[in-house]
Amino acid sequence: MAGDDGDDGDASAGAYHVLVGGDAYDSMGPDLTRRDLLHTSLTFVADAYNSLRESGVPRANIITIVQLDDYFRTPHLRDGEYPMEMVKTKCARLIREGGADYDHESVNPGTVVAVLGGLHRHHTDAADAPARWPKVVPRAAGSAVFLSVYSHGDSHPSSAAASRKHLGAALARRSHSHLPVTVPEAMDTREHEWFAHLPYPTRPAAFAEELLEPIATEFARRQRPQCHLYASQLKMCFSGLFTDAPARPVVALCNFCRSGGMLTFMQNPVARRAFGVDGWPLLLMASAQPEHDALVGGLWTAWFDQLQAWFRGQGEPGDTLDDMVSATRTAYFQKNVYELKDHVGTLAYASNVEAHDETFPGDLHRLCCGGDDGEPDWGGLARLQREYADGTRYGREVLIWDPHDWGGDPVDLVAAVQEARRRVAIPDYAVGSDATLGITLEELMPRPEA
């Protein structure tokens, strides 16, 4: 198979993959003494890079924005110890093939924007622009553009009123911090700016100012907006990509906490009309709700597993992007069902707990991800509770009780699972054109020739 080493293959013939590994300024930024030992996003970017290269994607079609060489400057790393050796092993191929395209101070929001937008739209007056951003997505070449961002994420209020509301909610959560489980409150998507962290600020400063001009950063508190890749900036990138190549599909994955906030402009009818989103062949995926933390690995691993399966010949010739999204969601929910099941167990449990014939944990495991796309099998859950209660399952009555009110009134198992889902990371996605999910995988990313 092509793609074993180096810059092989015809870059113009395949999709472009932009892999971004971010982290917070405070934990992986320029102050080396404050750095974390492990750089989680680096290893996940390396996993994705290895998967693409092993699948035959040419090196020239992959753009990596991640602290690789920069990570090894961390002073408390030691040869022979786990963090150093694990990262070296994971990143061996990327190191062998030249390292990250953008490393050190180049791992900043401006680099992501420049790479996606090309040099013709952003900061074109900079004489050093070609040297600063030597590898970018071409304006029209390639069958598709894939953007994958793995980082930490967050949000901040966009107005004084939203800031006061945000502070009040934070104080209320603190007053309930003694509770075993806190459920994130839904956030008004009109009152916040969502972003992914990157470890360095955009340079040059004039470019940073340009990128932040449409962002309400006044209430970012102690955060550093110059290090944030905002949803509004991605929106402008997408607009530019579709201005250049209206029919070229773009598939983006945001894998970080609160990444659901990055979808908000695509869920806003006014914004969709203003930017012509209904005509964009765009799929934008998020690994968690706007107010929720994401799982480590989470949607990232499930997505790249599906990409690799396709490249390796699995699937049918007519499979579409919709099929891949469905398979990804199913894999995500099945792999992470333990999180949902554990939360359900704090809300509802069978009264025959620890009996020799108890099957509730296994039944719950199966039904919590037994529906379409790995969602809960709601009908199966309701049927299970009926069969427990009427003796069909065990030959005797078994009820579903609240563990905090054991022996009290039975609880509704379906309602308990619905409540538990409020406490876990649920991926979401949005599309531009209605036809986006119908694009065939062969059109989107042709399999490399053997």
Coordinates of all heavy atoms in Angstrom, one line a residue, residues 51-52 55 146 285 299-315 319-332 334 441 445 447:
S51 N -2.8 6.6 11.8 CA -3.9 5.9 11.1 C -4.0 6.3 9.7 O -4.2 5.5 8.8 CB -5.2 6.2 11.9 OG -6.3 5.7 11.3
L52 N -3.9 7.6 9.4 CA -4.0 8.1 8.0 C -2.8 7.6 7.2 O -3.0 7.2 6.0 CB -4.0 9.7 8.0 CG -5.3 10.3 8.7 CD1 -5.1 11.8 8.8 CD2 -6.5 10.0 7.9
S55 N -3.1 4.1 6.3 CA -4.2 3.9 5.4 C -3.8 4.3 4.0 O -4.6 4.2 3.0 CB -5.4 4.6 5.9 OG -5.8 4.1 7.1
F146 N -10.6 17.8 5.6 CA -11.0 17.3 6.9 C -10.2 18.1 8.0 O -9.0 18.2 7.9 CB -10.6 15.9 7.0 CG -11.5 14.9 6.3 CD1 -11.3 14.7 4.9 CD2 -12.5 14.2 6.9 CE1 -12.1 13.9 4.2 CE2 -13.3 13.4 6.2 CZ -13.1 13.2 4.8
M285 N -18.9 18.3 13.5 CA -19.2 17.4 14.6 C -18.6 17.9 15.9 O -17.5 18.5 15.9 CB -18.6 16.0 14.4 CG -19.2 15.3 13.1 SD -18.4 13.7 12.8 CE -16.8 14.3 12.1
L299 N -15.0 11.0 20.8 CA -15.4 10.9 19.4 C -14.2 10.8 18.5 O -14.3 10.2 17.4 CB -16.3 12.2 19.1 CG -17.2 12.1 17.9 CD1 -18.2 10.9 18.0 CD2 -17.9 13.4 17.6
W300 N -13.1 11.3 18.9 CA -11.9 11.3 18.1 C -11.5 9.9 17.7 O -11.3 9.6 16.5 CB -10.8 12.0 18.9 CG -9.4 12.1 18.2 CD1 -8.5 11.2 18.0 CD2 -9.0 13.3 17.5 NE1 -7.4 11.7 17.3 CE2 -7.7 13.0 17.0 CE3 -9.5 14.6 17.3 CZ2 -6.9 13.9 16.3 CZ3 -8.7 15.5 16.6 CH2 -7.4 15.2 16.1
T301 N -11.4 9.0 18.7 CA -11.0 7.7 18.4 C -12.0 6.9 17.6 O -11.7 6.2 16.6 CB -10.8 6.9 19.8 OG1 -9.8 7.6 20.5 CG2 -10.4 5.5 19.5
A302 N -13.3 7.1 17.9 CA -14.3 6.5 17.1 C -14.3 6.9 15.7 O -14.5 6.1 14.7 CB -15.7 6.8 17.7
W303 N -14.1 8.2 15.4 CA -14.1 8.7 14.1 C -12.9 8.2 13.3 O -13.1 7.7 12.1 CB -14.1 10.3 14.1 CG -13.9 10.9 12.8 CD1 -12.8 11.6 12.3 CD2 -14.9 11.0 11.7 NE1 -13.1 12.1 11.1 CE2 -14.3 11.7 10.7 CE3 -16.2 10.5 11.6 CZ2 -15.0 12.0 9.5 CZ3 -16.9 10.7 10.4 CH2 -16.3 11.5 9.4
F304 N -11.7 8.3 13.8 CA -10.5 7.8 13.1 C -10.5 6.3 12.9 O -10.0 5.8 11.9 CB -9.3 8.4 13.7 CG -9.0 9.8 13.4 CD1 -9.3 10.8 14.2 CD2 -8.5 10.1 12.1 CE1 -9.1 12.1 13.9 CE2 -8.2 11.4 11.8 CZ -8.6 12.5 12.6
D305 N -11.1 5.6 13.8 CA -11.3 4.1 13.6 C -12.2 3.9 12.3 O -11.9 3.0 11.5 CB -11.9 3.5 14.8 CG -11.0 3.3 15.9 OD1 -9.7 3.5 15.7 OD2 -11.4 3.0 17.0
Q306 N -13.2 4.7 12.2 CA -14.1 4.5 11.0 C -13.4 4.9 9.7 O -13.5 4.3 8.7 CB -15.4 5.3 11.2 CG -16.2 4.8 12.3 CD -16.6 3.3 12.2 OE1 -16.9 2.8 11.1 NE2 -16.5 2.6 13.3
L307 N -12.6 6.0 9.8 CA -11.8 6.4 8.6 C -10.9 5.3 8.2 O -10.8 5.0 7.0 CB -11.0 7.7 8.9 CG -11.8 9.0 9.0 CD1 -10.8 10.2 9.2 CD2 -12.6 9.3 7.7
Q308 N -10.2 4.8 9.1 CA -9.2 3.7 8.8 C -9.9 2.5 8.2 O -9.4 1.8 7.3 CB -8.4 3.3 10.0 CG -7.2 2.4 9.7 CD -6.3 2.2 10.9 OE1 -6.7 1.8 11.9 NE2 -5.0 2.5 10.7
A309 N -11.0 2.1 8.8 CA -11.8 1.0 8.3 C -12.2 1.2 6.8 O -12.1 0.3 6.0 CB -13.0 0.7 9.2
W310 N -12.6 2.4 6.5 CA -13.0 2.7 5.1 C -11.7 2.6 4.2 O -11.8 1.9 3.1 CB -13.6 4.1 5.0 CG -13.6 4.6 3.6 CD1 -12.8 5.5 3.0 CD2 -14.5 4.1 2.5 NE1 -13.1 5.7 1.7 CE2 -14.1 4.9 1.4 CE3 -15.5 3.2 2.5 CZ2 -14.8 4.7 0.1 CZ3 -16.2 3.0 1.3 CH2 -15.8 3.7 0.1
F311 N -10.6 3.2 4.6 CA -9.4 3.1 3.8 C -8.9 1.7 3.6 O -8.3 1.4 2.6 CB -8.3 4.0 4.4 CG -8.5 5.5 4.1 CD1 -8.5 6.4 5.2 CD2 -8.7 5.9 2.8 CE1 -8.6 7.7 4.9 CE2 -8.8 7.3 2.6 CZ -8.8 8.2 3.6
R312 N -9.2 0.8 4.5 CA -8.7 -0.5 4.5 C -9.7 -1.5 3.8 O -9.5 -2.7 3.8 CB -8.4 -1.0 5.9 CG -7.2 -0.4 6.5 CD -6.8 -1.0 7.8 NE -5.5 -0.4 8.3 CZ -4.9 -0.8 9.4 NH1 -5.5 -1.7 10.2 NH2 -3.7 -0.3 9.7
G313 N -10.7 -0.9 3.1 CA -11.6 -1.7 2.3 C -12.9 -2.2 2.9 O -13.6 -2.9 2.2
Q314 N -13.2 -1.8 4.1 CA -14.4 -2.2 4.7 C -15.5 -1.3 4.2 O -15.3 -0.2 3.7 CB -14.4 -2.1 6.3 CG -13.4 -3.0 6.9 CD -13.3 -3.0 8.4 OE1 -14.3 -2.6 9.0 NE2 -12.2 -3.3 9.0
G315 N -16.8 -1.7 4.3 CA -17.9 -0.9 3.8 C -18.2 -1.3 2.3 O -17.5 -2.0 1.7
D319 N -21.5 3.5 0.2 CA -21.6 4.0 1.5 C -21.5 5.6 1.5 O -20.7 6.1 0.7 CB -20.6 3.4 2.5 CG -21.0 2.0 3.0 OD1 -22.1 1.6 2.6 OD2 -20.2 1.4 3.6
T320 N -22.2 6.2 2.4 CA -22.2 7.7 2.4 C -21.6 8.2 3.7 O -21.4 7.5 4.6 CB -23.6 8.2 2.2 OG1 -24.4 7.8 3.4 CG2 -24.3 7.7 1.0
L321 N -21.5 9.5 3.7 CA -21.0 10.2 4.9 C -22.0 9.9 6.1 O -21.6 9.8 7.2 CB -20.9 11.7 4.7 CG -20.3 12.6 5.8 CD1 -18.9 12.1 6.2 CD2 -20.2 14.0 5.3
D322 N -23.3 9.8 5.8 CA -24.3 9.5 6.8 C -24.0 8.2 7.4 O -24.1 8.0 8.6 CB -25.7 9.5 6.1 CG -26.8 9.4 7.2 OD1 -26.6 10.0 8.3 OD2 -27.8 8.8 6.9
D323 N -23.6 7.2 6.6 CA -23.3 5.9 7.1 C -22.1 5.9 8.1 O -22.1 5.3 9.1 CB -22.9 4.9 5.9 CG -24.2 4.6 5.1 OD1 -25.3 4.4 5.6 OD2 -24.0 4.6 3.8
M324 N -21.1 6.8 7.7 CA -19.9 6.9 8.6 C -20.2 7.6 9.9 O -19.7 7.2 10.9 CB -18.8 7.6 7.8 CG -17.5 7.7 8.7 SD -16.0 8.1 7.7 CE -15.7 6.5 6.9
V325 N -21.1 8.6 9.8 CA -21.5 9.3 11.0 C -22.2 8.3 11.9 O -22.0 8.3 13.2 CB -22.3 10.5 10.7 CG1 -22.9 11.1 12.0 CG2 -21.5 11.6 10.0
S326 N -23.1 7.6 11.4 CA -23.9 6.6 12.1 C -23.0 5.5 12.8 O -23.1 5.2 14.0 CB -24.9 5.9 11.2 OG -25.6 4.9 11.9
A327 N -22.0 5.0 12.0 CA -21.1 4.0 12.6 C -20.2 4.6 13.7 O -19.9 4.0 14.7 CB -20.2 3.5 11.4
T328 N -19.8 5.9 13.5 CA -19.0 6.6 14.5 C -19.8 6.8 15.8 O -19.3 6.5 16.9 CB -18.5 7.9 14.0 OG1 -17.7 7.7 12.8 CG2 -17.7 8.7 15.0
R329 N -21.0 7.2 15.7 CA -21.8 7.4 16.9 C -22.1 6.1 17.6 O -22.1 6.0 18.8 CB -23.1 8.1 16.5 CG -23.0 9.6 16.2 CD -24.3 10.2 15.6 NE -25.4 10.1 16.5 CZ -25.6 10.9 17.6 NH1 -24.8 11.9 17.8 NH2 -26.7 10.7 18.3
T330 N -22.4 5.1 16.8 CA -22.6 3.8 17.4 C -21.4 3.3 18.2 O -21.5 2.8 19.3 CB -23.0 2.7 16.3 OG1 -24.2 3.2 15.7 CG2 -23.2 1.4 16.9
A331 N -20.2 3.4 17.5 CA -19.0 3.0 18.2 C -18.7 3.8 19.5 O -18.3 3.2 20.5 CB -17.8 3.1 17.2
Y332 N -19.0 5.1 19.4 CA -18.8 6.0 20.6 C -19.7 5.5 21.7 O -19.2 5.3 22.9 CB -19.1 7.4 20.2 CG -19.1 8.4 21.4 CD1 -17.9 9.0 21.7 CD2 -20.2 8.6 22.1 CE1 -17.9 9.9 22.9 CE2 -20.2 9.4 23.2 CZ -19.1 10.1 23.6 OH -19.1 10.9 24.6
Q334 N -21.3 2.7 22.2 CA -21.0 1.3 22.7 C -19.7 1.3 23.5 O -19.7 0.6 24.6 CB -20.9 0.4 21.5 CG -22.2 0.1 20.8 CD -22.1 -0.8 19.6 OE1 -21.0 -1.0 19.1 NE2 -23.3 -1.3 19.1
L441 N -18.6 8.1 0.3 CA -17.3 8.1 0.8 C -16.2 8.0 -0.3 O -15.1 8.6 -0.1 CB -17.1 6.9 1.8 CG -18.0 6.9 3.0 CD1 -17.7 5.7 3.9 CD2 -18.0 8.2 3.8
M445 N -13.4 10.8 -0.1 CA -12.0 10.4 0.1 C -11.7 9.1 -0.6 O -11.8 8.0 0.0 CB -11.7 10.3 1.7 CG -12.8 9.6 2.4 SD -12.5 9.6 4.2 CE -14.0 8.7 4.7
R447 N -10.2 5.8 -1.9 CA -9.2 4.9 -1.3 C -7.9 4.9 -2.1 O -7.9 4.8 -3.3 CB -9.8 3.5 -1.2 CG -10.9 3.3 -0.2 CD -11.5 1.9 -0.4 NE -12.5 1.6 0.7 CZ -13.6 1.0 0.6 NH1 -14.0 0.5 -0.6 NH2 -14.4 0.7 1.6

